[in-house]
Structures are given as structure tokens and as C-alpha cells.
Amino acid sequence: MQAAGTVAWAAPDPRLTSDVLAAALERAAAGEQVTQTEAEVLINLDDQRLPELFAGARRLRERYKGSTVTYSPKVFLPVTNLCRDFCGYCTFRKDPNDPEAWTMMPDEIRTWSRDGRARGCREALLCLGDKPELVFKSYRTTLAALGHRTTIEYVRRACEIALAEGLLPHTNAGLMTRAEMASLKPVNASMGLMLESMSPRLCQKGGPHHHAPDKDPALRLQMIHEAGELQIPFTTGILVGIGETRAECVTSLLAIRAAHQRCGHIQEVIVQNFRAKPSSAMAVSPEPDTLELARTIAVCRLLMPAMNIQAPPNLSPYDHRLILNAGINDWGGISPLTRDYVNPEAPWPHVAALADTCRGAGAKLTPRLPIYDEFIDRPGFLDPELRARVRAFTAEGVLPC
């Protein structure tokens, strides 16, 4: 397994960086696109120049998003942690004979959803491993006993249960076909798939995705495009620090920008930092520091000024102010009921404390739905029955932070 961490270039000429930074900020403020060359210079700025980059990114955030920073009150429903992939950084996936393996039963999904709604949650995040039925006979038996052939069929049932209990589903089920996404669209407010990285190197021997066929960047990008063609409000993003270069980070962000320009369906981009987990293959790999994460967030903001940009708050618990100042306008899902099953070592922050941090940075923390406001009434992007449910939530008003 190769060492993690984002590989930097040599520092550019300081005179060049000054010109590029000023030009890129001016172009982004004018609504013009920052180029790949400009972004590659900016992501490699010397640390001493980063405050200028962050200030520019924050101005763009305030121009396009105002002073509001959002989060989604959610229930995390880990439908199954069985998975056919082996990612070097993952501790979520399990084999059927592992004592920590699980597949949630319908009654559990119903109870967790009901409890979450009672605590003010709006979102049911359905997160699971990639197509375990293709490799595990015992899991196929479980699915058959539940009355289903495939995991996606069962996920649809889980979404229906969550809807019946008053939550809006957001499904992240890994790599899906066009037909599978189409089958889930009527019961999901939104869906998601992390692009993670466009670097094919990470799929080579020794890379974190070598034994993960569903992490092929071409396949993941294809799914993102197909989600756009299906008019699905979609969340995607990159994972920083798993062995990619900074230039590859830029390439990945540009691929997301191009997909959104093509279909207009990306509702949020997540810039997530790698965290080394003790029982993973990359347990001793170096983690990216917060400045690395922040510079990537700021470049993301310059590349996509009007985009909703998220960084998970539980993965950088001591650096919320810096991350805010780098240009995010969303913290993602935070649960009062369930832990982050993908990162169980990283507890959610207290919402009241996060709200205080936001106020200290001149921002107001506000709950949101799993579908962003700008997609609710866009023709074709939300099932009419779901739109009525979404409207019922918006009529409730803003929950207190």
C-alpha cells in the first residue's frame, strides 16, 4: 500500500503566483471561469500567501451564499456494511463472517427513522457497501428471505420505510447503473457518490483502490453524468490525502465542474480529508494537515464560486474556523441519534458549539433539507409526491440551532 498524503509540486515563482492569484480572484468575482493552469498555481501557493487565497474564497462564498452556513439533521442508516471492494483506508466494509458485519432489518430501519424524526431529523442517509450480493452467497440468501434479488431493491424498500416515518432519504449506495438510479429517484430527495479522485494511479498495484473495482474513476464519473441525465439532485466530492498529487486534485474538481455544467445537477461538492484508521491497510499513512485541506477548499470555491461546498466537521474537530474561512458554506449531515459509521472514531460536533463557531466567523448556522432549495421546484428534479413532502418540511420553518 502506497503512502497517503497529497503530493505537492515545487513552489511556483512568487511573481507568477501574485499575478495569478489577483487575476483568478478578479475573474471568479466577475463570474468568469478560473482555468486549470491558474488553479494548479493557486493550490501550490506558499503557506505565507494562503491568507490572501482564503480571503478571496471567503468573499466569493459571501457573495454567492451570504452569511448562512448549513447542516443537515440526519439519521445515518448503514443498511449493510458488506462490500465487494477493499479500499486501503476503509474500516466500514466487512465480510459476512466478521462479528461486526450487519445488514439492517426493516424493523430496525423503521425504529431508527422514527426515533430520528422525533429528535428533529429531516434526512435519512442510507449508506452501504458496493454490491455485496455479487460476492457473498450468504447475503444473497438474506436478500431472498427479505423478498429481494438485489441490494438496490432492498434500498428502495428502506427508503419507503424512512419516508413513511417522516424522513427524506438521501442514498449513497456506491456505484449504480442508470436503471438502478432511476428506480430510486421516486423515493429519494437526492443521491450521492464521491468521485474521490480522477487519478487512475490510485487503482494500480499498491494504491488504495487496487482491490476496489467500483473506485474506477471513469465508472464513477459515468455514474455522475448519468445522474445528471436523470435529473437527480446529486452530491459528490473528492478525498484529499490518499496519494494523489495536488494537480490531480484540481483535475478531479474540474471533472465535477464539467459534469455540473453539462447537466446542472450537482447540488454540493464535499472536500473531505483522509483520516488514518488503526485497523485499515493505511493505518500508518500520513494524514493531510488542515492547511492542505483548506487550500483545496479555497481552490474549489474559486473553481465553482456558486456551488455548495462542504467539509465534514467531525474529521477536523479543532479547525472549524479555518475551514469556514477557506470558503465552505455547509457542514453536511450531523446526527443527534446515530454515529458516523464510516468514521466511527470521529464523533459529531455539538450543534450549539458549531453555531457559536459560525457566529464568531460572521456566519449563521441553519438546518437544511437533503435537497437544496434551488432544486425543489426545478422541473424534473423531484418526484411530485416527494415535492409535497419537502414543502411540508419547509412550512415547518427553521429549526433552532
Side-chain angles (χ1 to χ4, degrees), residues 283-305:
V284 297
S285 297
E287 299 178 347
D289 63 26
T290 311
L291 274 181
E292 191 66 40
L293 176 66
R295 72 168 69 231
T296 310
I297 290 168
V299 169
C300 182
R301 175 59 70 193
L302 265 69
L303 287 170
M304 293 174 271

Side-chain angles (χ1 to χ4, degrees), residues 383-396:
D383 183 90
E385 236 180 89
L386 276 182
R387 185 175 290 109
R389 292 174 182 263
V390 169
R391 283 298 173 208
F393 268 112
T394 58
E396 292 179 6

Side-chain angles (χ1 to χ4, degrees), residues 77 79 104-114 126 154 157-159 161-162 165:
L77 298 176
V79 177
M104 294 186 75
M105 294 293 105
D107 284 347
E108 293 176 295
I109 294 168
R110 184 172 294 106
T111 299
W112 288 28
S113 298
R114 185 176 300 160
L126 292 93
Y154 185 48
R157 180 178 175 188
C159 291
I161 293 170
E165 296 301 330

Side-chain angles (χ1 to χ4, degrees), residues 342-358:
V342 175
N343 302 284
E345 77 288 351
W348 307 116
H350 291 289
V351 172
L354 194 60
D356 286 342
T357 300
C358 290

